[in-house]
Amino acid sequence: MALVVICGQPCSGKSIAASCLAEALQESESKPSVKIIDESSLHLNRNQSYVDMVAEKNLRGVLRSQVDRSLSRDSIIILDSLNSIKGYRYELWCLARAAGTRYCVLHCDVEESTCRKWNQERSEKSDSSYDDKIFEDLVRRFERPDSRNRWDSPLFELWPSRDGIEKSSSAIVDAVTYLTKKVDSKTRDVKVLQPTIATQGAWLTEANSLYELDRATQEITNMIVDAQSRAIGGPLNGVSLGPGLPNLTISRPVSLPELRRLRRTFIKLTGQSSLSGPPPPSDADSAKRLFVDYLNREFGTS
């Protein structure tokens, strides 16, 4: 159903926000399945995970892999971590797009001095806290989310030091509304990300999948050539290529060499391995749908 990325400075109340959001979602009318992914759930130590760039990169990889495995259209995944690097948030956005789910960012906006104070209080209570050197490094490198970026949008802002964090906080209420709202053809304020050729990726790894892909795209190519022959050079408007397949519209004559080039490019793109996105079905009908979608995009009709 959705991926929620919690982000903020270290010790800015992110875990409390994640917990409040999860409770609010489970108390909503739709009562969706909710899963929180964080360092503690994976038995990862904060200071060891951020001790250097290699450890931090490994941490992000582990969290990203866990999100990738957990994403589905039946549950809401909340990633509770720093998520402080905009490039990393883009990678997470790509995972949501590959899974065809909703996506949003919940930012805990707290001043550095307050985060520093809260971290010190945790240390004095022997709670989980950051070493001073690690804390200062993380604060320095934090990249604030910007709602103008697609990977930071929609952006819900919390101000824990000013307003506290409650299930009734306006940002959490707004996020719950966004995540649980029913979507239909008239919905404009909720965006469900759609997978593309690039994010569906990986994909056809079995030998017979490659065979089905080659055979299916050749069939579509032959059907287009036949349709153009019947049209005697005229435009092809809404040509039906078979049951369950989208119509194809070609506003200009397309030569056989161009079709062959597009077919080769599509097979190359589809055969490339990808780290995000589940493999598509390996049957011929699925391969045909992907190829027709690709051609419609290339011809500028979708």
Side-chain angles (χ1 to χ4, degrees), residues 245-258:
L245 297 178
N247 289 340
L248 179 69
T249 299
I250 304 177
S251 60
R252 59 176 176 81
V254 180
S255 66
L256 182 58
E258 182 178 1

Side-chain angles (χ1 to χ4, degrees), residues 229-249:
S229 297
R230 293 194 297 272
I232 317 178
L236 299 178
N237 296 316
V239 175
S240 176
L241 299 172
L245 297 178
N247 289 340
L248 179 69
T249 299

Side-chain angles (χ1 to χ4, degrees), residues 103 124 144 228 259:
Y103 173 93
E124 293 171 355
R144 293 178 63 89
Q228 286 193 128
L259 283 172

Side-chain angles (χ1 to χ4, degrees), residues 204-278:
L204 309 171
T205 55
E206 299 178 2
N208 100 279
S209 296
L210 188 57
Y211 168 78
E212 291 290 353
L213 180 67
D214 183 78
R215 185 170 65 89
T217 53
Q218 185 60 60
E219 286 184 18
I220 293 295
T221 300
N222 292 340
M223 293 169 71
I224 294 172
V225 171
D226 292 341
Q228 286 193 128
S229 297
R230 293 194 297 272
I232 317 178
L236 299 178
N237 296 316
V239 175
S240 176
L241 299 172
L245 297 178
N247 289 340
L248 179 69
T249 299
I250 304 177
S251 60
R252 59 176 176 81
V254 180
S255 66
L256 182 58
E258 182 178 1
L259 283 172
R260 287 173 173 167
R261 177 181 60 78
L262 289 170
R263 177 173 173 266
R264 287 194 301 270
T265 301
F266 172 78
I267 292 175
K268 181 178 179 180
L269 284 171
T270 309
Q272 289 174 345
S273 61
S274 171
L275 295 178
S276 63

